Amino acid sequence: MAYDDLRSFLDTLEKEGQLLRITDEVLPEPDLAAAANATGRIGENAPALHFDNVKGFTDARIAMNVHGSWANHALALGLPKNTPVKEQVEEFARRWDAFPVAPERREDAPWRENTQEGEDVDVFSVLPLFRLNDGDGGFYLDKAAVVSRDPDDPDDFGKQNVGTYRIQVIGTNRLAFQPVPMHDVAQHLRKAEEKGEDLPIAITLGNDPVMAIVAGMPMAYDQSEYEMAGALRGAPAPIATAPLTGFDVPWGSEVVIEGVIESRKRQIEGPFGEFTGHYSGGRRMPVIRVDRVSYRTNPVFESLYLGMPWTECDYLVGPNTCVPLLKQLRAEFPEVQAVNAMYTHGLMVIISTAKRYGGFAKAVGMRAMTTPHGLGYVAQVILVDEDVDPFNLPQVMWAMSAKVNPKDDVVVIPNLSVLELAPAAQPAGISSKMIIDATTPVAPDIRGNFSTPAKDLPETAEWAARLQRLIAARG
Amino acid sequence: MNHLPVECPRCAFAEISLLATSPVPGVWDVVQCGRCLYTWRTIEPARRTQRDAYPDTFKLTEADIENAIEVPAVPPLLK
């Protein structure tokens, strides 16, 4: 089933036993972040958290860890909550093929209920803001779907971008904003700043669960996130027109913040405990002036804890990073079986592939590094054979231990691009990258002694499915 | 509350401004440094609010702020 807003998804999570309402009074800091941090330490099927009794606030409603488990990720896609991870990724890839699905425009967006404009804008009066990690420079909006348009082609629906970026609140109507150069909004900003113009922007908070997934998904520059949301939902994505910018924004958002990125201005921002498990910043980043806030009555503030993996961030962007790489690699190399890009936004990727000829797997690894996402992320690639499940890490470690001759199978390429946030980059934005070929050599690459492998019994796959069904039926 | 702190725990700057007060009166304020923009709630733990308890690794100097790299860099104006 497709969810049109966050609230209806929270209702489903609650019915499925995947939402924990915390009604005792908690401190805004450090309790909210610590509780969400803890969800990543209590197992793979942790619930979402909902807080409504936060010290000093009168009507705060805060949702965290909404996507922060495999069960919740499955439910977000309308799948049974016990769907195995590999099946979630395969179903995601299958639905991708329906892209593009045109969105459905609606005029009765619930965020039209309340408005602040101009000098009356005060984001602190709308949102129960709070800090996540000790060293953060302030309070962040870190799970928004941010909408911007190409200043040179503002009427192109596909080039309109919807993305998730870190946003520090630095005033009642001012925000600091991080557009990593590899991201689409950075291209929009560069085009506006080259002309000395402000870049209009719409920041939408508390969105339906598929909107959050596509906003964090590395799609092509001219592909519409709304049209992808429709494909993944199996139903058109509901959108509405933002009143100030005229941008297309999710119909079901809790809050819509509109304003401009002020041209050619940078101001200190950060640090922020990032998805890399390290702080990044402080750096001089662009700033946003907020001119209008629209919001549902009693809005739910959705936030996301991130820090040392795994956290909600990893569940949210794991499958949606695997699928674009899988599709882009298969377009030229149909031998590619599966792609696991679930570790730290795909800074490390595991690819299973059949081999066309000797040396082929290493070529697949190099291609992964030159995909649009790979240019900024893929720093390490592990290639495994077609019969190794890249999501099954013990199998991957077996391939690494048994099939790798380091002299021949580890390739290091110096001075390639990576996003500035990568802690190992030196200087920031530049890294060497590594391919580990853990596939079995094939002719004419004749090396090693691999002639007598032990294979799974022919009946094993059928038995695995049967056992999964029996376990699921047991509840 | 409105008794503003006297210095920023992160950069020791002495100009602190008020950004927000608790909807329940008198429970907390949210304040901000006028130089490094560090923002904190007055009831946060000392490691986030007191200069002497603030971790050295996160402290900033005026030079740190002025010399921080731009991300992304401001592009040249088109002619």
Side-chain angles (χ1 to χ4, degrees), chain A residues 21-203:
Chain A
R21 290 187 183 275
I22 297 172
T23 55
D24 291 344
E25 185 181 69
V26 301
L27 291 168
E29 296 89 11
D31 286 345
L32 294 169
N37 189 178
T39 60
R41 306 292 179 257
I42 61 172
E44 291 191 343
N45 287 322
L49 306 178
H50 186 278
F51 300 89
D52 60 5
N53 186 4
V54 185
K55 189 176 180 67
F57 289 101
T58 51
D59 57 0
R61 292 162 187 79
I62 297 166
M64 301 190 79
N65 208 49
V66 171
H67 292 77
S69 64
W70 290 125
N72 287 16
H73 186 269
L75 292 168
L77 292 173
L79 299 169
K81 68 178 183 180
N82 57 8
T83 306
V85 180
K86 192 178 178 192
E87 286 184 26
Q88 292 190 39
V89 174
E90 286 178 353
E91 176 63 12
F92 197 121
R94 190 189 67 77
R95 293 185 192 179
W96 170 300
D97 293 336
F99 172 84
V101 173
E104 171 191 311
R105 189 172 300 278
R106 299 181 190 170
E107 299 302 329
D108 57 345
W111 43 260
R112 292 184 182 276
E113 291 170 345
N114 305 280
T115 301
Q116 293 180 350
E117 282 185 288
E119 294 186 352
D120 292 332
V121 167
D122 179 1
V123 293
F124 286 92
S125 72
V126 177
L127 300 168
L129 299 163
F130 58 95
R131 185 192 315 279
L132 293 175
N133 282 303
D134 278 348
D136 288 357
F139 305 168
Y140 276 79
L141 312 177
D142 67 347
K143 204 179 179 184
V146 179
V147 184
S148 60
R149 287 187 177 175
D150 185 330
D152 292 340
D153 201 359
D155 297 326
D156 188 311
F157 188 77
K159 291 180 182 174
Q160 176 175 256
N161 183 61
V162 186
T164 299
Y165 309 96
R166 83 188 206 192
I167 303 167
Q168 184 182 346
V169 179
I170 58 170
T172 53
N173 68 341
R174 296 189 74 75
L175 309 168
F177 182 68
Q178 177 180 263
V180 171
M182 289 80 179
H183 291 162
D184 291 351
V185 72
Q187 295 194 51
H188 294 174
L189 180 62
R190 178 179 51 78
K191 292 179 180 185
E193 290 192 320
E194 283 176 342
K195 293 186 274 194
E197 296 174 356
D198 292 344
L199 182 74
I201 200 157
I203 299 165

Side-chain angles (χ1 to χ4, degrees), chain B residues 38-59:
Chain B
Y38 181 66
T39 304
W40 71 98
R41 196 184 318 271
T42 49
I43 60 167
E44 289 194 66
R47 65 183 190 271
R48 301 173 178 185
T49 57
Q50 304 297 321
R51 176 71 178 168
D52 55 358
Y54 197 80
D56 288 340
T57 188
F58 292 121
K59 285 179 178 169

